[in-house]
Amino acid sequence: MTTRHRRMSFPALLVALLLALGGTEASAAEPGAARTIARRHFERGTTLYREGRYAEAAAAFEAAYQTLANGVVLYNLGQCYEKLGDLQRAIGYYRDYLRMVPSAEDRPLVESLIARLEKRFEEERRPQVTVSSEPAGARVQVDGQARGVTPWGDKLEVGPHLLEVTHEGYQPLRRDVELRPGEPLELQLMLTPLAKSGVASEVQPGQSRRRVWTWVAAGAAGVATAGAVTLGLLARSDSRELLARPHERAEAQRLHDSSLSRARASNILTGTAGVALLAGTALFFIEGSF
């Protein structure tokens, strides 16, 4: 029996399997009923595959293999799962086929197919990371390497990464992220303006000091507002992560506590921004009268 099998050439494979089930010395000792049942499952799998019913075809081929093991069936199972998009199982069945039929004439072709599917599988496992910021145009670094400016997106390797976002006139933002296979990550970041220090000391001798503290209060209101918005976004991000999928109890509690504390801090900063705004309004009229 030849072991040369191209990509799901069913007539040739069917003949090969029928010979294997009915005419080889290895199968001659098997009960006739088992050979008959295996042949029936295989024929059904062949028909289902031709009809594009790949999941049902895989079930039929698996039943054929469980009844009477044959390497041809393993190859066909690899074809079915490749069509279904289950690349990991497809690769496994192709490898099992080569182990069961070590002298297969199509070994180089199957090995090339396995290598191609492994590359595709790894590419699909890499999650898509998208970063946007307010303001836009912030520089993005991943693990110390410049990757572009916001809005930015790319696929990254699975595992931990250090993400850094910087923009002139704003506080740099750094976040540790853990990327999981096939799980995209979208970050919407609100950058905090750098606080202006030494406002009063910059007033030159003889220069009017009118409304200096008005602008100090306005700046404080702006910083508090930006901080409140940033913490609010982070709290929402934690909440979404908590609800997106099941977590271990400790991780779920951590996300819940983080979301709650950030939300409270955001509310406090919102109140602070309101107070600063009121103070600035009052100072606007008080300082203007000096």
Side-chain angles (χ1 to χ4, degrees):
M1 180 186 71
T2 178
T3 56
R4 185 174 183 175
H5 311 299
R6 294 179 176 80
R7 292 179 58 82
M8 213 58 175
S9 177
F10 270 98
L13 293 181
L14 179 57
V15 171
L17 184 67
L18 293 178
L19 289 174
L21 296 178
T24 64
E25 294 181 1
S27 64
E30 295 291 337
R35 293 196 299 273
T36 301
I37 294 172
R39 181 164 58 247
R40 186 181 303 124
H41 286 309
F42 185 84
E43 291 172 349
R44 173 171 169 75
T46 300
T47 301
L48 291 168
Y49 184 93
R50 287 171 176 165
E51 295 174 355
R53 298 160 63 182
Y54 304 118
E56 296 174 73
F61 286 134
E62 287 172 349
Y65 187 81
Q66 292 298 323
T67 305
L68 190 61
N70 184 278
V72 173
V73 182
L74 294 173
Y75 180 88
N76 290 5
L77 280 166
Q79 291 278 284
C80 289
Y81 283 108
E82 182 181 352
K83 290 290 188 181
L84 290 169
D86 192 341
L87 302 185
Q88 191 170 17
R89 293 185 72 176
I91 292 169
Y93 277 118
Y94 286 137
R95 290 193 179 280
D96 290 341
Y97 162 69
L98 293 180
R99 280 193 292 269
M100 190 169 184
V101 191
S103 60
E105 294 181 12
D106 62 350
R107 172 176 285 273
L109 294 176
V110 178
E111 289 176 341
S112 176
L113 174 61
I114 291 173
R116 178 174 60 82
L117 291 181
E118 286 179 333
K119 183 177 179 180
R120 179 180 158 192
F121 177 67
E122 288 301 319
E123 181 65 22
E124 290 181 358
R125 290 179 74 249
R126 296 173 62 196
Q128 176 74 25
V129 179
T130 304
V131 181
S132 59
S133 68
E134 179 60 41
R139 293 179 292 276
V140 178
Q141 287 188 323
V142 179
D143 299 328
Q145 295 185 352
R147 303 299 295 264
V149 297
T150 58
W152 170 86
D154 200 358
K155 286 190 172 184
L156 299 179
E157 298 294 333
V158 173
H161 296 278
L162 174 61
L163 180 71
E164 299 176 89
V165 179
T166 57
H167 195 296
E168 185 176 356
Y170 293 83
Q171 295 181 11
L173 188 151
R174 296 175 178 83
R175 289 192 65 177
D176 292 310
V177 296
E178 180 75 26
L179 301 182
R180 299 179 178 87
E183 295 185 13
L185 176 65
E186 182 177 355
L187 299 175
Q188 298 178 342
L189 306 176
M190 180 70 69
L191 301 181
T192 304
L194 291 172
K196 295 181 180 180
S197 60
V199 174
S201 63
E202 293 177 359
V203 179
Q204 299 298 323
Q207 184 178 356
S208 174
R209 292 178 177 267
R210 289 183 177 181
R211 298 193 175 92
V212 172
W213 292 107
T214 299
W215 294 113
V216 172
V223 172
T225 300
V229 172
T230 299
L231 288 171
L233 290 173
L234 292 174
R236 182 180 299 177
S237 176
D238 288 339
S239 179
R240 287 177 177 173
E241 175 65 14
L242 178 62
L243 297 175
R245 58 188 177 81
H247 295 275
E248 295 292 336
R249 177 176 297 179
E251 177 65 9
Q253 186 64 44
R254 185 191 68 78
L255 289 171
H256 175 270
D257 293 344
S258 176
S259 175
L260 187 61
S261 63
R262 286 171 170 173
R264 288 173 177 170
S266 177
N267 292 335
I268 292 173
L269 286 176
T270 300
T272 302
V275 172
L277 183 60
L278 291 174
T281 303
L283 287 168
F284 178 85
F285 294 101
I286 294 173
E287 288 185 304
S289 62
F290 291 164

